[in-house]
Amino acid sequence: MLRRRERRTGLPSEREPPKILFAVAAVLMAAALASVLAGRYALAVQRYAQERYNDARDRTEALAVTQGALVEAKLEELDRTIKWLRALPAVPWRNHDSAGNMEAVMHRVLEYNPLLIGFEILNAEDETLIGVYRNGCRPSAHYTSLAVFEADPTDRAHLSEPFSATPPSQHRCMTLSRPVPGASADAAGAVTAVISATLFGEAVGAANDIAGISVGVFTPSGDLVFRTPQADDPQDSGTITALALRDGPHADPALSFLAGSPLNGTQRIVTVRRLERWALTVVVTEDFAPTAAAVAEFRRAERRRAVFIAVPLYALLAIIAALSARQIRATKALEAGFIERSHIVEELRAGEQRLRHLAQHDALTGLPNRVLFADRTQQALGIAERTGDRVALMFVDLDNFKPVNDSHGHAAGDEVLAEISARMVGAVRTSDTVGRMGGDEFVVLLPVVEDTEAALAVAHKLGSEMSRPLSVEGERVEITASIGVAIYPEHAAGSSELAAGADRAMYAAKRAGGNTIRLFTR
């Protein structure tokens, strides 16, 4: 019996599982294998990249701590020298005859501290009493004025912004000053050390011996104090400066992130560390290119490993699929004939349904047209004749629709008609029917209504919903309607007479000025 079924239909019997299952299983196994290999590959690459990024971040953070500590130590040492000079009995405001001795002391200090290129002692009038400078380098008056202590009268050291020496030299300078307390709240003078920012950077940057890492120190305004290495690399300098201006002076005390260079587009690991006491910011950057290259090489190695594993397995699956290919083709050919015939039948049925819908419904609103509405009216009247129920028919005409069409065009008018149709459908029951006769004329059929008051209540609800304002091309528009109501069997004995009564009631509403409801009267 089973063999006769195979010869008659060409399909496999119930005892023999279709060979297509082998191909399906092979495809599913290939998909699962590809998913596993892809997930393992992505996870391994992500983990390796995160480890390399963490290593680079740890290096920059450690160097930022080291460089920050060196900067603070050097400034503390210079501050102690200033406090020592300020406490000497030979300072001019204590002993005016000892200026020569004070100059000698200051010269000796300059000899033993290569970072210093000068000293100044100011009196209360902001005048320079003593000025000792190395190689003729001296600051401008702006950086040695006592005005810097007016905002903060406490005994604190003040570090100036970097500036060029006068006369011009290879040094960029900064001043470190301390006020000399006087009898009143004002300072009696100040002791100022002129520091070579260039030599200061060389002394601090000597600890940075890691290739590819740059260190910059910035003031609160974003001016560069020094950077290491000292090689003339404007792109690298511009990168550090831009990053410091963006995240340095106002960032958290310690911050690390990965950023692209504003100038050359290279990625760098950036660590920003603030030195709160001296209002300086240390910015350490490391070129991310070596790390990215290592990650790329690891990605290639993982891809080769995945291919080495996948190729034999995929070959085995291909053999399994090939063994069932003949049966698959035969089965598909047989099924294709049935599928093609079923598709033709489905398309014919769908086309018939579309034609029937187009013949019975309005193309714009989707509401029943005159033909379908008349059929439903006839059915409602036939049922009401047997049951003794009342049927209400309403004719609805829009009062001020033509100005919308004239001023905004037919496309806007179509949108208004579609919205009005949706509101009318929402205002009645699902058992009721809303139809469009054409233009701005609509009809409503209530197949079961208790009495005249119930029909008029529905008409009032329709008028209220339709009169809600609309927005047409940004302009507020109000559409009202004139509604005529006729009720079977009080006003008519058949569908034609009922429609004529509702139409006459609608025109009575129009003559009354519109936006109103009229019940048919004989």
Side-chain angles (χ1 to χ4, degrees):
M1 183 70 179
L2 294 176
R3 290 299 178 186
R4 286 200 300 272
R5 178 181 183 274
E6 288 184 34
R7 289 193 297 269
R8 185 173 63 254
T9 64
L11 295 175
S13 66
E14 287 82 355
R15 291 181 182 178
E16 181 183 0
K19 294 183 180 180
I20 192 173
L21 294 179
F22 293 104
V24 173
V27 172
L28 292 177
M29 290 176 61
L33 175 62
S35 177
V36 171
L37 292 177
R40 179 187 178 281
Y41 166 76
L43 182 62
V45 172
Q46 181 181 5
R47 184 181 301 155
Y48 183 82
Q50 187 63 43
E51 290 174 355
R52 299 289 74 77
Y53 171 77
N54 291 341
D55 292 343
R57 183 194 59 197
D58 293 342
R59 282 195 300 271
T60 58
E61 289 180 352
L63 188 57
V65 172
T66 303
Q67 295 289 289
L70 286 174
V71 170
E72 290 181 325
K74 293 293 183 181
L75 291 175
E76 291 284 354
E77 178 184 351
L78 296 174
D79 188 37
R80 287 194 298 270
T81 301
I82 292 174
K83 289 192 287 188
W84 173 75
L85 287 174
R86 187 181 62 174
L88 290 177
V91 291
W93 49 81
R94 293 193 178 96
N95 187 350
H96 292 284
D97 298 329
S98 58
N101 293 334
M102 193 64 184
E103 287 187 11
V105 172
M106 293 163 70
H107 275 295
R108 293 294 299 274
V109 174
L110 290 178
E111 292 177 3
Y112 285 100
N113 196 327
L115 303 183
L116 296 173
I117 61 174
F119 275 110
E120 283 186 346
I121 294 180
L122 307 180
N123 61 13
E125 286 72 29
D126 210 9
E127 298 172 344
T128 302
L129 298 179
I130 299 178
V132 177
Y133 309 101
R134 189 198 306 270
N135 299 328
C137 293
R138 64 178 65 220
S140 63
H142 172 73
Y143 293 100
T144 59
S145 174
L146 290 180
V148 296
F149 301 110
E150 291 179 358
D152 185 9
T154 59
D155 184 19
R156 294 179 58 184
H158 172 74
L159 188 65
S160 75
E161 297 284 332
F163 59 92
S164 299
T166 304
S169 67
Q170 73 275 19
H171 294 282
R172 277 176 57 80
C173 304
M174 299 176 66
T175 60
L176 182 63
S177 306
R178 266 192 178 272
V180 176
S184 62
D186 297 331
V191 178
T192 299
V194 185
I195 308 168
S196 170
T198 305
L199 298 177
F200 190 89
E202 292 177 357
V204 173
N208 175 22
D209 57 353
I210 304 177
I213 292 185
S214 298
V215 180
V217 176
F218 298 85
T219 63
S221 63
D223 286 342
L224 180 66
V225 178
F226 70 85
R227 59 176 290 271
T228 58
Q230 290 292 338
D232 185 16
D233 187 352
Q235 286 188 331
D236 188 50
S237 177
T239 300
I240 297 177
T241 303
L243 293 171
L245 288 174
R246 188 185 70 183
D247 300 300
H250 307 290
D252 296 334
L255 177 68
S256 297
F257 55 92
L258 180 65
S261 167
L263 296 180
N264 56 17
T266 59
Q267 284 192 312
R268 308 178 76 86
I269 295 287
V270 183
T271 294
V272 180
R273 185 175 184 83
R274 296 183 61 188
L275 308 180
E276 298 292 343
R277 179 183 175 187
W278 302 102
L280 295 176
T281 303
V282 179
V283 180
V284 180
T285 67
E286 178 177 347
D287 186 4
F288 196 67
T291 301
V295 172
E297 179 58 34
F298 182 81
R299 182 182 292 109
R300 288 190 292 270
E302 284 297 307
R303 190 182 296 117
R304 288 193 295 269
R305 187 178 295 109
V307 171
F308 179 78
I309 296 174
V311 167
L313 294 177
Y314 279 131
L316 178 61
L317 294 176
I319 293 173
I320 295 175
L323 292 176
S324 57
R326 182 179 301 176
Q327 181 65 29
I328 293 173
R329 287 194 295 270
T331 304
K332 284 184 177 180
L334 183 61
E335 292 176 350
F338 291 106
I339 292 174
E340 184 178 359
R341 286 192 292 273
S342 64
H343 283 174
I344 293 174
V345 173
E346 290 176 359
E347 289 178 0
L348 290 174
R349 289 176 180 174
E352 182 182 356
Q353 292 176 355
R354 286 195 297 270
L355 290 175
R356 185 182 298 113
H357 185 273
L358 290 174
Q360 297 179 343
H361 291 80
D362 179 57
L364 174 62
T365 63
L367 298 176
N369 59 14
R370 189 184 301 271
V371 175
L372 180 58
F373 191 86
D375 181 67
R376 291 188 181 179
T377 303
Q378 288 288 1
Q379 293 180 16
L381 293 178
I383 295 173
E385 185 178 359
R386 293 192 301 272
T387 61
D389 292 330
R390 288 181 174 85
V391 177
L393 179 64
M394 303 179 191
F395 271 38
V396 181
D397 187 81
L398 304 184
D399 294 327
N400 45 358
F401 176 71
K402 188 175 184 301
V404 175
N405 249 350
D406 294 341
S407 58
H408 297 282
H410 291 286
D414 290 346
E415 293 181 5
V416 170
L417 290 175
E419 176 62 21
I420 292 295
S421 303
R423 291 184 181 183
M424 293 179 67
V425 172
V428 298
R429 301 167 300 185
T430 55
S431 59
D432 302 331
T433 300
V434 178
R436 183 185 178 209
M437 296 293 101
D440 57 356
E441 295 181 355
F442 296 86
V443 286
V444 179
L445 175 66
L446 308 181
V448 178
V449 63
E450 293 182 2
D451 49 28
T452 302
E453 287 74 15
L456 291 176
V458 174
H460 281 290
K461 184 178 180 181
L462 282 169
S464 176
E465 284 294 318
M466 296 167 67
S467 63
R468 286 193 292 112
L470 293 164
S471 177
V472 179
E473 297 181 348
E475 181 180 339
R476 179 187 175 94
V477 174
E478 292 186 2
I479 301 293
T480 60
S482 298
I483 303 177
V485 183
I487 299 178
Y488 171 88
E490 283 87 341
H491 301 148
S495 59
S496 299
E497 190 177 355
L498 186 64
D503 188 44
R504 289 171 57 185
M506 182 268 292
Y507 277 105
K510 278 283 189 183
R511 288 192 297 271
N515 192 21
T516 187
I517 300 169
R518 287 290 183 269
L519 182 66
F520 173 72
T521 57
R522 296 184 182 276

PDB file of all heavy atoms in Angstrom, residues 265-293:
ATOM      1  N   GLY A 265      44.780  63.176  14.036  1.00  0.00           N
ATOM      2  CA  GLY A 265      43.828  62.089  14.062  1.00  0.00           C
ATOM      3  C   GLY A 265      44.296  60.834  14.763  1.00  0.00           C
ATOM      4  O   GLY A 265      43.555  59.862  14.826  1.00  0.00           O
ATOM      5  N   THR A 266      45.522  60.791  15.291  1.00  0.00           N
ATOM      6  CA  THR A 266      45.996  59.603  15.985  1.00  0.00           C
ATOM      7  C   THR A 266      45.338  59.500  17.347  1.00  0.00           C
ATOM      8  O   THR A 266      45.021  60.499  17.981  1.00  0.00           O
ATOM      9  CB  THR A 266      47.522  59.655  16.158  1.00  0.00           C
ATOM     10  OG1 THR A 266      47.874  60.831  16.901  1.00  0.00           O
ATOM     11  CG2 THR A 266      48.211  59.685  14.809  1.00  0.00           C
ATOM     12  N   GLN A 267      45.144  58.256  17.797  1.00  0.00           N
ATOM     13  CA  GLN A 267      44.550  58.041  19.103  1.00  0.00           C
ATOM     14  C   GLN A 267      45.623  57.989  20.174  1.00  0.00           C
ATOM     15  O   GLN A 267      46.721  57.485  19.949  1.00  0.00           O
ATOM     16  CB  GLN A 267      43.741  56.737  19.118  1.00  0.00           C
ATOM     17  CG  GLN A 267      42.400  56.849  18.413  1.00  0.00           C
ATOM     18  CD  GLN A 267      41.534  55.660  18.701  1.00  0.00           C
ATOM     19  OE1 GLN A 267      41.984  54.523  18.607  1.00  0.00           O
ATOM     20  NE2 GLN A 267      40.281  55.900  19.055  1.00  0.00           N
ATOM     21  N   ARG A 268      45.285  58.516  21.354  1.00  0.00           N
ATOM     22  CA  ARG A 268      46.238  58.553  22.453  1.00  0.00           C
ATOM     23  C   ARG A 268      45.505  58.233  23.756  1.00  0.00           C
ATOM     24  O   ARG A 268      44.350  58.603  23.951  1.00  0.00           O
ATOM     25  CB  ARG A 268      46.900  59.930  22.575  1.00  0.00           C
ATOM     26  CG  ARG A 268      47.504  60.435  21.278  1.00  0.00           C
ATOM     27  CD  ARG A 268      48.103  61.822  21.461  1.00  0.00           C
ATOM     28  NE  ARG A 268      49.369  61.781  22.165  1.00  0.00           N
ATOM     29  CZ  ARG A 268      50.543  61.573  21.572  1.00  0.00           C
ATOM     30  NH1 ARG A 268      50.596  61.389  20.273  1.00  0.00           N
ATOM     31  NH2 ARG A 268      51.648  61.535  22.263  1.00  0.00           N
ATOM     32  N   ILE A 269      46.208  57.525  24.638  1.00  0.00           N
ATOM     33  CA  ILE A 269      45.738  57.346  26.009  1.00  0.00           C
ATOM     34  C   ILE A 269      46.126  58.605  26.786  1.00  0.00           C
ATOM     35  O   ILE A 269      47.283  59.004  26.792  1.00  0.00           O
ATOM     36  CB  ILE A 269      46.372  56.110  26.658  1.00  0.00           C
ATOM     37  CG1 ILE A 269      45.917  54.844  25.937  1.00  0.00           C
ATOM     38  CG2 ILE A 269      46.007  56.037  28.136  1.00  0.00           C
ATOM     39  CD1 ILE A 269      44.500  54.471  26.217  1.00  0.00           C
ATOM     40  N   VAL A 270      45.176  59.249  27.416  1.00  0.00           N
ATOM     41  CA  VAL A 270      45.407  60.518  28.098  1.00  0.00           C
ATOM     42  C   VAL A 270      45.080  60.357  29.578  1.00  0.00           C
ATOM     43  O   VAL A 270      44.025  59.837  29.940  1.00  0.00           O
ATOM     44  CB  VAL A 270      44.546  61.649  27.495  1.00  0.00           C
ATOM     45  CG1 VAL A 270      44.856  62.978  28.176  1.00  0.00           C
ATOM     46  CG2 VAL A 270      44.790  61.761  26.001  1.00  0.00           C
ATOM     47  N   THR A 271      46.007  60.781  30.436  1.00  0.00           N
ATOM     48  CA  THR A 271      45.764  60.853  31.877  1.00  0.00           C
ATOM     49  C   THR A 271      45.977  62.289  32.323  1.00  0.00           C
ATOM     50  O   THR A 271      47.019  62.887  32.038  1.00  0.00           O
ATOM     51  CB  THR A 271      46.697  59.917  32.652  1.00  0.00           C
ATOM     52  OG1 THR A 271      46.375  58.567  32.317  1.00  0.00           O
ATOM     53  CG2 THR A 271      46.517  60.101  34.161  1.00  0.00           C
ATOM     54  N   VAL A 272      44.982  62.856  32.982  1.00  0.00           N
ATOM     55  CA  VAL A 272      45.030  64.231  33.472  1.00  0.00           C
ATOM     56  C   VAL A 272      45.046  64.183  34.993  1.00  0.00           C
ATOM     57  O   VAL A 272      44.181  63.553  35.607  1.00  0.00           O
ATOM     58  CB  VAL A 272      43.805  65.036  32.976  1.00  0.00           C
ATOM     59  CG1 VAL A 272      43.874  66.469  33.492  1.00  0.00           C
ATOM     60  CG2 VAL A 272      43.759  65.038  31.465  1.00  0.00           C
ATOM     61  N   ARG A 273      46.025  64.829  35.602  1.00  0.00           N
ATOM     62  CA  ARG A 273      46.140  64.850  37.070  1.00  0.00           C
ATOM     63  C   ARG A 273      46.378  66.283  37.528  1.00  0.00           C
ATOM     64  O   ARG A 273      47.282  66.959  37.036  1.00  0.00           O
ATOM     65  CB  ARG A 273      47.273  63.939  37.539  1.00  0.00           C
ATOM     66  CG  ARG A 273      47.363  63.832  39.055  1.00  0.00           C
ATOM     67  CD  ARG A 273      48.407  62.822  39.466  1.00  0.00           C
ATOM     68  NE  ARG A 273      48.435  62.641  40.895  1.00  0.00           N
ATOM     69  CZ  ARG A 273      47.632  61.842  41.583  1.00  0.00           C
ATOM     70  NH1 ARG A 273      46.744  61.135  40.920  1.00  0.00           N
ATOM     71  NH2 ARG A 273      47.698  61.735  42.886  1.00  0.00           N
ATOM     72  N   ARG A 274      45.585  66.750  38.458  1.00  0.00           N
ATOM     73  CA  ARG A 274      45.698  68.122  38.945  1.00  0.00           C
ATOM     74  C   ARG A 274      46.546  68.171  40.211  1.00  0.00           C
ATOM     75  O   ARG A 274      46.435  67.312  41.093  1.00  0.00           O
ATOM     76  CB  ARG A 274      44.302  68.693  39.235  1.00  0.00           C
ATOM     77  CG  ARG A 274      43.428  68.826  38.009  1.00  0.00           C
ATOM     78  CD  ARG A 274      42.114  69.448  38.336  1.00  0.00           C
ATOM     79  NE  ARG A 274      42.278  70.801  38.872  1.00  0.00           N
ATOM     80  CZ  ARG A 274      41.298  71.519  39.392  1.00  0.00           C
ATOM     81  NH1 ARG A 274      40.092  71.003  39.458  1.00  0.00           N
ATOM     82  NH2 ARG A 274      41.511  72.733  39.845  1.00  0.00           N
ATOM     83  N   LEU A 275      47.391  69.198  40.287  1.00  0.00           N
ATOM     84  CA  LEU A 275      48.176  69.491  41.487  1.00  0.00           C
ATOM     85  C   LEU A 275      47.483  70.658  42.176  1.00  0.00           C
ATOM     86  O   LEU A 275      47.625  71.814  41.777  1.00  0.00           O
ATOM     87  CB  LEU A 275      49.616  69.835  41.116  1.00  0.00           C
ATOM     88  CG  LEU A 275      50.333  68.817  40.201  1.00  0.00           C
ATOM     89  CD1 LEU A 275      51.752  69.278  39.913  1.00  0.00           C
ATOM     90  CD2 LEU A 275      50.327  67.432  40.835  1.00  0.00           C
ATOM     91  N   GLU A 276      46.673  70.343  43.173  1.00  0.00           N
ATOM     92  CA  GLU A 276      45.772  71.336  43.744  1.00  0.00           C
ATOM     93  C   GLU A 276      46.524  72.518  44.348  1.00  0.00           C
ATOM     94  O   GLU A 276      46.121  73.672  44.181  1.00  0.00           O
ATOM     95  CB  GLU A 276      44.887  70.674  44.813  1.00  0.00           C
ATOM     96  CG  GLU A 276      43.992  69.564  44.287  1.00  0.00           C
ATOM     97  CD  GLU A 276      42.911  70.108  43.373  1.00  0.00           C
ATOM     98  OE1 GLU A 276      42.669  71.321  43.400  1.00  0.00           O
ATOM     99  OE2 GLU A 276      42.320  69.301  42.628  1.00  0.00           O
ATOM    100  N   ARG A 277      47.605  72.261  45.071  1.00  0.00           N
ATOM    101  CA  ARG A 277      48.271  73.361  45.773  1.00  0.00           C
ATOM    102  C   ARG A 277      48.840  74.385  44.811  1.00  0.00           C
ATOM    103  O   ARG A 277      48.736  75.595  45.031  1.00  0.00           O
ATOM    104  CB  ARG A 277      49.393  72.824  46.664  1.00  0.00           C
ATOM    105  CG  ARG A 277      50.115  73.946  47.399  1.00  0.00           C
ATOM    106  CD  ARG A 277      51.260  73.476  48.224  1.00  0.00           C
ATOM    107  NE  ARG A 277      51.973  74.626  48.788  1.00  0.00           N
ATOM    108  CZ  ARG A 277      53.108  74.550  49.449  1.00  0.00           C
ATOM    109  NH1 ARG A 277      53.673  73.361  49.646  1.00  0.00           N
ATOM    110  NH2 ARG A 277      53.694  75.643  49.906  1.00  0.00           N
ATOM    111  N   TRP A 278      49.412  73.920  43.702  1.00  0.00           N
ATOM    112  CA  TRP A 278      50.086  74.833  42.780  1.00  0.00           C
ATOM    113  C   TRP A 278      49.202  75.175  41.581  1.00  0.00           C
ATOM    114  O   TRP A 278      49.656  75.887  40.682  1.00  0.00           O
ATOM    115  CB  TRP A 278      51.402  74.213  42.295  1.00  0.00           C
ATOM    116  CG  TRP A 278      52.320  73.879  43.425  1.00  0.00           C
ATOM    117  CD1 TRP A 278      52.546  72.657  43.955  1.00  0.00           C
ATOM    118  CD2 TRP A 278      53.102  74.798  44.182  1.00  0.00           C
ATOM    119  NE1 TRP A 278      53.427  72.728  44.995  1.00  0.00           N
ATOM    120  CE2 TRP A 278      53.807  74.062  45.161  1.00  0.00           C
ATOM    121  CE3 TRP A 278      53.307  76.184  44.141  1.00  0.00           C
ATOM    122  CZ2 TRP A 278      54.661  74.634  46.073  1.00  0.00           C
ATOM    123  CZ3 TRP A 278      54.176  76.765  45.058  1.00  0.00           C
ATOM    124  CH2 TRP A 278      54.840  75.990  46.012  1.00  0.00           C
ATOM    125  N   ALA A 279      47.986  74.695  41.576  1.00  0.00           N
ATOM    126  CA  ALA A 279      47.039  74.989  40.497  1.00  0.00           C
ATOM    127  C   ALA A 279      47.631  74.652  39.128  1.00  0.00           C
ATOM    128  O   ALA A 279      47.508  75.387  38.163  1.00  0.00           O
ATOM    129  CB  ALA A 279      46.599  76.456  40.535  1.00  0.00           C
ATOM    130  N   LEU A 280      48.290  73.518  39.056  1.00  0.00           N
ATOM    131  CA  LEU A 280      48.865  73.042  37.800  1.00  0.00           C
ATOM    132  C   LEU A 280      48.180  71.734  37.409  1.00  0.00           C
ATOM    133  O   LEU A 280      47.607  71.041  38.255  1.00  0.00           O
ATOM    134  CB  LEU A 280      50.371  72.818  37.944  1.00  0.00           C
ATOM    135  CG  LEU A 280      51.233  74.049  38.207  1.00  0.00           C
ATOM    136  CD1 LEU A 280      52.670  73.642  38.424  1.00  0.00           C
ATOM    137  CD2 LEU A 280      51.130  75.048  37.058  1.00  0.00           C
ATOM    138  N   THR A 281      48.265  71.415  36.148  1.00  0.00           N
ATOM    139  CA  THR A 281      47.677  70.176  35.628  1.00  0.00           C
ATOM    140  C   THR A 281      48.737  69.413  34.848  1.00  0.00           C
ATOM    141  O   THR A 281      49.363  69.963  33.938  1.00  0.00           O
ATOM    142  CB  THR A 281      46.477  70.475  34.713  1.00  0.00           C
ATOM    143  OG1 THR A 281      45.512  71.240  35.433  1.00  0.00           O
ATOM    144  CG2 THR A 281      45.841  69.181  34.232  1.00  0.00           C
ATOM    145  N   VAL A 282      48.918  68.151  35.231  1.00  0.00           N
ATOM    146  CA  VAL A 282      49.862  67.271  34.538  1.00  0.00           C
ATOM    147  C   VAL A 282      49.061  66.421  33.538  1.00  0.00           C
ATOM    148  O   VAL A 282      48.090  65.766  33.915  1.00  0.00           O
ATOM    149  CB  VAL A 282      50.609  66.364  35.525  1.00  0.00           C
ATOM    150  CG1 VAL A 282      51.567  65.432  34.772  1.00  0.00           C
ATOM    151  CG2 VAL A 282      51.368  67.203  36.536  1.00  0.00           C
ATOM    152  N   VAL A 283      49.453  66.466  32.265  1.00  0.00           N
ATOM    153  CA  VAL A 283      48.792  65.708  31.211  1.00  0.00           C
ATOM    154  C   VAL A 283      49.810  64.742  30.609  1.00  0.00           C
ATOM    155  O   VAL A 283      50.816  65.168  30.041  1.00  0.00           O
ATOM    156  CB  VAL A 283      48.222  66.634  30.115  1.00  0.00           C
ATOM    157  CG1 VAL A 283      47.538  65.800  29.041  1.00  0.00           C
ATOM    158  CG2 VAL A 283      47.251  67.634  30.715  1.00  0.00           C
ATOM    159  N   VAL A 284      49.536  63.448  30.762  1.00  0.00           N
ATOM    160  CA  VAL A 284      50.418  62.411  30.223  1.00  0.00           C
ATOM    161  C   VAL A 284      49.670  61.708  29.092  1.00  0.00           C
ATOM    162  O   VAL A 284      48.535  61.266  29.271  1.00  0.00           O
ATOM    163  CB  VAL A 284      50.815  61.396  31.315  1.00  0.00           C
ATOM    164  CG1 VAL A 284      51.727  60.318  30.725  1.00  0.00           C
ATOM    165  CG2 VAL A 284      51.508  62.101  32.466  1.00  0.00           C
ATOM    166  N   THR A 285      50.308  61.639  27.927  1.00  0.00           N
ATOM    167  CA  THR A 285      49.679  60.980  26.778  1.00  0.00           C
ATOM    168  C   THR A 285      50.604  59.918  26.218  1.00  0.00           C
ATOM    169  O   THR A 285      51.820  60.093  26.184  1.00  0.00           O
ATOM    170  CB  THR A 285      49.345  61.990  25.661  1.00  0.00           C
ATOM    171  OG1 THR A 285      50.557  62.500  25.114  1.00  0.00           O
ATOM    172  CG2 THR A 285      48.506  63.127  26.194  1.00  0.00           C
ATOM    173  N   GLU A 286      50.013  58.811  25.812  1.00  0.00           N
ATOM    174  CA  GLU A 286      50.778  57.717  25.191  1.00  0.00           C
ATOM    175  C   GLU A 286      50.165  57.409  23.834  1.00  0.00           C
ATOM    176  O   GLU A 286      48.937  57.305  23.707  1.00  0.00           O
ATOM    177  CB  GLU A 286      50.750  56.467  26.069  1.00  0.00           C
ATOM    178  CG  GLU A 286      51.486  55.289  25.426  1.00  0.00           C
ATOM    179  CD  GLU A 286      51.526  54.071  26.327  1.00  0.00           C
ATOM    180  OE1 GLU A 286      51.216  54.210  27.522  1.00  0.00           O
ATOM    181  OE2 GLU A 286      51.862  52.988  25.833  1.00  0.00           O
ATOM    182  N   ASP A 287      50.992  57.272  22.843  1.00  0.00           N
ATOM    183  CA  ASP A 287      50.524  56.935  21.494  1.00  0.00           C
ATOM    184  C   ASP A 287      49.861  55.559  21.534  1.00  0.00           C
ATOM    185  O   ASP A 287      50.459  54.573  21.978  1.00  0.00           O
ATOM    186  CB  ASP A 287      51.719  56.939  20.541  1.00  0.00           C
ATOM    187  CG  ASP A 287      51.276  56.751  19.092  1.00  0.00           C
ATOM    188  OD1 ASP A 287      50.061  56.705  18.849  1.00  0.00           O
ATOM    189  OD2 ASP A 287      52.148  56.663  18.221  1.00  0.00           O
ATOM    190  N   PHE A 288      48.611  55.513  21.094  1.00  0.00           N
ATOM    191  CA  PHE A 288      47.847  54.266  21.145  1.00  0.00           C
ATOM    192  C   PHE A 288      48.117  53.370  19.936  1.00  0.00           C
ATOM    193  O   PHE A 288      47.627  52.247  19.880  1.00  0.00           O
ATOM    194  CB  PHE A 288      46.354  54.594  21.222  1.00  0.00           C
ATOM    195  CG  PHE A 288      45.499  53.438  21.649  1.00  0.00           C
ATOM    196  CD1 PHE A 288      45.595  52.914  22.924  1.00  0.00           C
ATOM    197  CD2 PHE A 288      44.598  52.861  20.761  1.00  0.00           C
ATOM    198  CE1 PHE A 288      44.808  51.845  23.317  1.00  0.00           C
ATOM    199  CE2 PHE A 288      43.803  51.792  21.148  1.00  0.00           C
ATOM    200  CZ  PHE A 288      43.915  51.284  22.436  1.00  0.00           C
ATOM    201  N   ALA A 289      48.913  53.870  18.977  1.00  0.00           N
ATOM    202  CA  ALA A 289      49.147  53.097  17.750  1.00  0.00           C
ATOM    203  C   ALA A 289      49.795  51.734  18.026  1.00  0.00           C
ATOM    204  O   ALA A 289      49.349  50.724  17.466  1.00  0.00           O
ATOM    205  CB  ALA A 289      50.000  53.913  16.774  1.00  0.00           C
ATOM    206  N   PRO A 290      50.844  51.624  18.877  1.00  0.00           N
ATOM    207  CA  PRO A 290      51.406  50.295  19.137  1.00  0.00           C
ATOM    208  C   PRO A 290      50.392  49.335  19.759  1.00  0.00           C
ATOM    209  O   PRO A 290      50.333  48.163  19.408  1.00  0.00           O
ATOM    210  CB  PRO A 290      52.568  50.593  20.102  1.00  0.00           C
ATOM    211  CG  PRO A 290      52.928  52.017  19.840  1.00  0.00           C
ATOM    212  CD  PRO A 290      51.643  52.691  19.511  1.00  0.00           C
ATOM    213  N   THR A 291      49.576  49.871  20.687  1.00  0.00           N
ATOM    214  CA  THR A 291      48.562  49.013  21.296  1.00  0.00           C
ATOM    215  C   THR A 291      47.545  48.572  20.259  1.00  0.00           C
ATOM    216  O   THR A 291      47.137  47.399  20.211  1.00  0.00           O
ATOM    217  CB  THR A 291      47.866  49.768  22.444  1.00  0.00           C
ATOM    218  OG1 THR A 291      48.835  50.159  23.405  1.00  0.00           O
ATOM    219  CG2 THR A 291      46.811  48.909  23.103  1.00  0.00           C
ATOM    220  N   ALA A 292      47.107  49.518  19.395  1.00  0.00           N
ATOM    221  CA  ALA A 292      46.151  49.164  18.351  1.00  0.00           C
ATOM    222  C   ALA A 292      46.749  48.151  17.378  1.00  0.00           C
ATOM    223  O   ALA A 292      46.052  47.243  16.905  1.00  0.00           O
ATOM    224  CB  ALA A 292      45.710  50.429  17.609  1.00  0.00           C
ATOM    225  N   ALA A 293      48.040  48.293  17.066  1.00  0.00           N
ATOM    226  CA  ALA A 293      48.694  47.335  16.169  1.00  0.00           C
ATOM    227  C   ALA A 293      48.741  45.943  16.796  1.00  0.00           C
ATOM    228  O   ALA A 293      48.522  44.937  16.116  1.00  0.00           O
ATOM    229  CB  ALA A 293      50.103  47.821  15.831  1.00  0.00           C
TER     230      ALA A 293
END
